[in-house]
């Protein structure tokens, strides 16, 4: 339930519910008291409103007493001059707020008001005969207000008398007082119960979630992020909890990332120290050899100078690699995307690579299965860096006498699929998921002669992702590593981001089928890592 609806319900509970309940209880109490009063005072009430009308109620009550006076007068043995008779009648038929005053033979023989209001007698009208009683009801004000109903009678002796039935307007009936007290008590109880229920509901639905958020904030302030915030309802608090939990997760990830970066930075410093120390030590040694005259022949001098030059190039390459990674990691490297014809661009790349690989004793096989007009949007310089880094990694970890590198380019509908494969030592299945992570090296030994910062493939991954592509790898330890990446064609229309996992490899699950299909599809090119009749060096299959 949304917070808005809760506010509306709260308003209903606070305003409408108590009013309705108090009204229902008031009607029930009123009916009950009406029945009690009708029974106690022998009256008939038409509605609940009459019980709050003092005059109407007293008028009804005195009407019943008047009828009883008439019955008393007409009874046998009635002695109107006996004061005790009237006193007995008053005690039996009148209640606290009513009484009678009797005038007989021109004088007042009984006053039921006793000492409450003796002046009222002097204000009463006196009648000589029944015909003079022209007004049925009087209102007389003495010390209190009274309603007076005169009842005339003539006894057997022919004497005339008047019974004045009085009722105090200033007092209320006990039942009415009881009704009001009970109504007030019930109203208070209903409001207290309503407030208690509403408070409990508000606490559970509003205050409790707020307190949980407060506790979560205190945990975060104290640096404790090992907790989970969850709210079972889909309302404002639920969305707030989700946002807060997302913030907590991001904050935790950020802290973990910072710790990881700090660890990696320390590792990087250690790697750099090692990787720079090796060529510097070599340069220093060869320079000392030249200074000590060890290089005493032109051939030795040439060898020493070339070695110094190569080691300096290794240092320059390492520093350049770190600089590039730093710029990529901070998103400060500029990309210049242009349309590249796949054939033209890779023709030039293969020309450059073949010379370098030939000089190092590696065989290069190049297979291009794309349409000659196929184009991708890419940064030429950064794409070249991707290829160079992958091949450099293959050269570094190749332990075969005859190293082979296969480059295959395939047209896959809306994207171009690139594959660079070697016949090196490969990567174990445990290490394969981590080869694109920065500073990760499969040979973690600092005494490794291969060197390297461990960021070459991480640079590749970042560049490919910046191009909107995807990169992944296959490997069988001891037989080589195959790195794949895809780039979208310029005229692509379909989404291809899930291709690598859903259409082709499914995290390696369909690798065998894919390799079989690949061999069938490209058998005409005669490719392979062992015994291939593929094209090498500057030759390329363009058919």
């Amino acid at each position: 339930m949304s917070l808005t609806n809760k506010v509306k319900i709260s308003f209903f509970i606070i305003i409408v519910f108590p009013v309705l309940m108090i009204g229902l209880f008031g009607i029930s109490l009123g009916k009950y008291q009406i029945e009690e009063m009708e029974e106690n005072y022998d009256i008939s009430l038409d509605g609940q409103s009459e019980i709050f009308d003092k005059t109407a109620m007293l008028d009804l009550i005195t009407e019943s007493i008047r009828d009883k006076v008439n019955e008393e007068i007409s009874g046998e043995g009635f002695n109107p001059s006996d004061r005790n008779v009237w006193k007995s009648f008053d005690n039996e038929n009148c209640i606290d707020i009513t009484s009678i005053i009797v005038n007989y033979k021109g004088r007042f023989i009984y006053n039921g008001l006793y000492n409450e209001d003796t002046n009222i007698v002097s204000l009463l009208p006196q009648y000589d005969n029944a015909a003079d009683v022209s007004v049925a009801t009087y209102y007389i004000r003495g010390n209190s207000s009274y309603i007076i109903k005169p009842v005339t009678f003539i006894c057997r002796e022919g004497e005339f008398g008047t019974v004045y039935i009085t009722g105090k307007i200033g007092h209320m009936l006990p039942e009415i007082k009881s009704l009001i007290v009970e109504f007030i008590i019930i109203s208070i109880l209903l409001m207290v119960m309503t407030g208690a229920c509403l408070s409990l509901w508000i606490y559970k639905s509003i205050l409790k979630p707020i307190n949980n958020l407060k506790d979560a904030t205190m945990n975060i302030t104290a640096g404790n992020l090992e907790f989970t915030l969850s709210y079972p309802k889909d309302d404002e608090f639920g969305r707030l909890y989700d946002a807060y939990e997302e913030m907590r997760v991001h904050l935790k990830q950020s802290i973990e990332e910072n710790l990881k970066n700090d660890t990696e930075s320390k590792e990087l410093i250690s790697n750099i120290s090692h990787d720079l120390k090796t060529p510097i030590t070599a340069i220093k040694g060869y320079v000392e050899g030249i200074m000590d005259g060890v290089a005493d022949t032109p051939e030795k001098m040439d060898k020493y100078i070339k070695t110094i030059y190569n080691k300096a190039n290794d240092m320059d390459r390492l520093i350049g690699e770190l600089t590039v990674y730093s710029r990529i990691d901070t998103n400060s490297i500029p990309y210049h995307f242009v349309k590249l014809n796949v054939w033209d661009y890779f023709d030039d790349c293969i020309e450059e690579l073949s010379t370098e690989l030939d000089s190092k004793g590696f065989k290069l096989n190049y297979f291009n299965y794309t349409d000659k007009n196929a184009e991708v949007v890419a940064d030429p310089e950064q794409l070249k860096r991707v290829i160079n880094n992958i091949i450099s990694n293959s050269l570094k970890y190749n332990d075969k006498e005859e190293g082979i590198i296969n480059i295959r380019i395939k047209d896959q509908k809306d994207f171009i699929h690139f594959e660079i494969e070697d016949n090196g030592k490969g990567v174990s299945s445990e290490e394969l998921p981590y080869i694109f992570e920065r500073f990760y090296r499969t040979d973690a030994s600092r005494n490794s002669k291969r060197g390297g910062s461990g960021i070459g493939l991480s640079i590749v991954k970042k560049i490919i992702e910046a191009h909107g592509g995807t990169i992944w790898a296959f490997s069988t330890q001891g037989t080589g590593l195959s790195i794949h990446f895809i780039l979208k064609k310029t005229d692509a229309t379909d989404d291809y981001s899930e291709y690598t996992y859903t259409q082709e490899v499914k995290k390696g699950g369909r690798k065998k089928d894919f390799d079989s299909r690949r061999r069938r599809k490209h058998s005409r090119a005669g490719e392979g890592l062992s015994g291939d009749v593929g094209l090498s060096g500057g030759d390329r299959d363009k058919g």
Side-chain angles (χ1 to χ4, degrees):
M1 183 185 299
S2 67
L3 191 58
T4 303
N5 290 335
K6 289 180 180 178
V7 172
K8 293 178 180 177
I9 292 175
S10 299
F11 175 80
F12 174 81
I13 293 175
I14 294 172
I15 303 300
V16 180
F17 180 75
V19 172
L20 291 177
M21 296 305 296
I22 290 172
L24 290 175
F25 275 101
I27 293 172
S28 300
L29 284 175
K31 288 182 177 180
Y32 172 76
Q33 292 296 354
I34 286 175
E35 292 175 358
E36 287 290 314
M37 293 169 68
E38 288 179 338
E39 182 179 349
N40 293 338
Y41 305 118
D42 194 20
I43 59 177
S44 177
L45 298 173
D46 296 332
Q48 294 183 16
S49 59
E50 291 184 351
I51 66 176
F52 297 104
D53 188 340
K54 301 175 185 179
T55 303
M57 286 298 299
L58 291 172
D59 189 55
L60 288 173
I61 292 172
T62 53
E63 283 286 348
S64 63
I65 295 174
R66 185 185 60 184
D67 294 337
K68 292 178 181 178
V69 168
N70 290 328
E71 292 178 4
E72 185 72 19
I73 294 171
S74 60
E76 294 183 2
F78 174 68
N79 183 8
S81 61
D82 188 351
R83 183 177 181 277
N84 291 326
V85 171
W86 294 112
K87 182 178 180 180
S88 176
F89 177 87
D90 194 356
N91 292 334
E92 292 176 1
N93 298 286
C94 295
I95 59 176
D96 291 341
I97 61 173
T98 61
S99 61
I100 61 172
I101 300 173
V102 181
N103 183 290
Y104 183 63
K105 295 182 180 181
R107 65 186 183 89
F108 291 96
I109 64 171
Y110 177 77
N111 182 3
L113 297 177
Y114 301 103
N115 296 323
E116 293 184 27
D117 199 337
T118 56
N119 294 329
I120 194 69
V121 175
S122 62
L123 300 175
L124 293 175
Q126 296 190 40
Y127 307 100
D128 294 331
N129 52 66
D132 292 337
V133 185
S134 58
V135 180
T137 304
Y138 297 95
Y139 296 94
I140 298 178
R141 185 175 180 81
N143 295 335
S144 300
S145 297
Y146 296 89
I147 181 173
I148 307 296
K149 280 187 171 290
V151 179
T152 60
F153 66 91
I154 300 174
C155 64
R156 290 185 178 86
E157 290 79 6
E159 297 294 336
F160 177 80
T162 306
V163 177
Y164 301 91
I165 305 171
T166 67
K168 293 181 181 179
I169 298 177
H171 292 72
M172 297 183 67
L173 297 175
E175 290 81 4
I176 298 177
K177 292 181 180 180
S178 176
L179 172 62
I180 294 174
V181 171
E182 291 172 357
F183 183 79
I184 292 173
I185 293 174
I186 290 175
S187 299
I188 293 174
L189 289 175
L190 279 173
M191 287 187 287
V192 170
M193 291 176 61
T194 301
C197 293
L198 183 61
S199 299
L200 182 61
W201 183 64
I202 290 175
Y203 173 76
K204 288 186 176 180
S205 61
I206 298 177
L207 295 182
K208 188 175 180 180
I210 291 176
N211 288 335
N212 289 340
L213 288 176
K214 179 183 175 182
D215 294 339
T217 303
M218 294 178 66
N219 280 328
I220 292 176
T221 303
N224 177 26
L225 297 174
E226 299 298 330
F227 64 92
T228 302
L229 270 178
S230 61
Y231 192 75
K233 300 177 183 178
D234 184 19
D235 56 10
E236 290 85 351
F237 277 113
R239 290 186 286 273
L240 179 60
Y241 267 58
D242 291 341
Y244 209 96
E245 175 65 10
E246 185 177 356
M247 178 193 71
R248 182 196 67 82
V249 171
H250 287 170
L251 184 59
K252 181 180 178 182
Q253 291 174 347
S254 177
I255 293 175
E256 291 174 347
E257 184 69 20
N258 288 338
L259 292 174
K260 181 181 178 183
N261 290 341
D262 184 60
T263 302
E264 291 175 345
S265 296
K266 293 178 181 178
E267 183 180 354
L268 175 61
I269 293 173
S270 176
N271 291 342
I272 291 174
S273 299
H274 173 263
D275 293 338
L276 289 179
K277 184 178 180 180
T278 301
I280 288 175
T281 301
I283 291 172
K284 182 179 178 181
Y286 282 104
V287 170
E288 289 176 350
I290 294 174
M291 293 173 62
D292 293 341
V294 176
D296 53 0
T297 64
E299 290 80 9
K300 284 187 177 181
M301 180 64 72
D302 183 61
K303 178 182 178 182
Y304 277 35
I305 291 175
K306 284 184 177 179
T307 302
I308 292 171
Y309 177 76
N310 290 334
K311 296 300 180 180
N313 281 339
D314 288 343
M315 293 175 61
D316 182 66
R317 176 188 54 77
L318 177 61
I319 294 172
E321 195 173 63
L322 294 172
T323 302
V324 169
Y325 182 80
S326 175
R327 296 178 67 189
I328 291 177
D329 198 39
T330 57
N331 296 318
S332 60
I333 188 169
Y335 286 93
H336 304 286
F337 294 101
V338 296
K339 289 183 178 180
L340 296 180
N341 182 278
V342 175
W343 277 85
D344 294 342
Y345 181 79
F346 274 88
D347 277 353
D348 295 336
C349 286
I350 296 302
E351 291 288 350
E352 296 178 10
L353 290 172
S354 60
T355 303
E356 179 183 358
L357 294 178
D358 283 343
S359 66
K360 295 182 178 181
F362 276 78
K363 180 180 179 181
L364 173 64
N365 297 323
Y366 172 49
F367 308 92
N368 193 332
Y369 303 106
T370 64
D371 185 90
K372 290 187 177 182
N373 296 321
E375 292 181 335
V376 294
V377 176
D379 183 325
E381 181 180 353
Q382 300 306 324
L383 185 57
K384 185 175 182 181
R385 190 184 304 278
V386 167
I387 298 169
N388 288 339
N389 281 12
I390 295 175
I391 291 181
S392 175
N393 186 76
S394 296
L395 298 180
K396 188 184 304 180
Y397 293 98
N398 197 299
D399 57 353
K400 302 297 189 298
E401 291 183 3
E402 182 183 6
I404 299 175
I405 294 178
N406 290 334
I407 297 178
R408 305 181 184 88
I409 307 176
K410 310 166 191 176
D411 194 327
Q412 300 285 354
K413 192 178 180 181
D414 284 341
F415 57 89
I416 302 298
H417 180 178
F418 302 89
E419 178 185 355
I420 301 177
E421 183 182 38
D422 63 55
N423 67 336
K425 62 184 296 185
V427 179
S428 67
S429 58
E430 293 80 11
E431 294 178 315
L432 188 62
Y434 308 105
I435 64 172
F436 294 108
E437 291 187 4
R438 54 184 177 180
F439 311 128
Y440 183 81
R441 294 191 293 187
T442 56
D443 188 349
S445 173
R446 289 190 179 185
N447 296 322
S448 172
K449 296 180 180 180
R450 298 183 178 89
S453 61
I455 60 175
L457 292 184
S458 66
I459 291 176
V460 169
K461 183 175 185 291
K462 284 185 173 291
I463 293 175
I464 293 300
E465 289 177 349
H467 281 68
T470 307
I471 188 167
W472 70 99
F474 292 130
S475 179
T476 301
Q477 195 166 12
T479 61
L481 175 68
S482 176
I483 294 180
H484 303 250
F485 64 91
I486 53 177
L487 296 177
K488 201 169 187 177
K489 294 169 66 174
T490 56
D491 57 349
T493 58
D494 296 337
D495 181 18
Y496 66 98
S497 60
E498 298 297 325
Y499 166 78
T500 59
Y501 299 109
T502 60
Q503 294 188 24
E504 193 160 308
V505 298
K506 198 72 175 180
K507 294 185 178 180
R510 296 177 57 190
K511 179 178 184 300
K512 182 177 180 181
D513 294 340
F514 171 66
D515 287 344
S516 301
R517 187 175 69 251
R518 183 183 63 192
R519 286 194 294 271
R520 291 195 300 273
K521 181 176 181 181
H522 305 307
S523 59
R524 66 182 184 278
E527 56 177 305
L529 289 176
S530 177
D532 276 355
V533 194
L535 302 176
S536 62
D539 299 329
R540 288 162 299 281
D541 178 10
K542 299 183 181 181

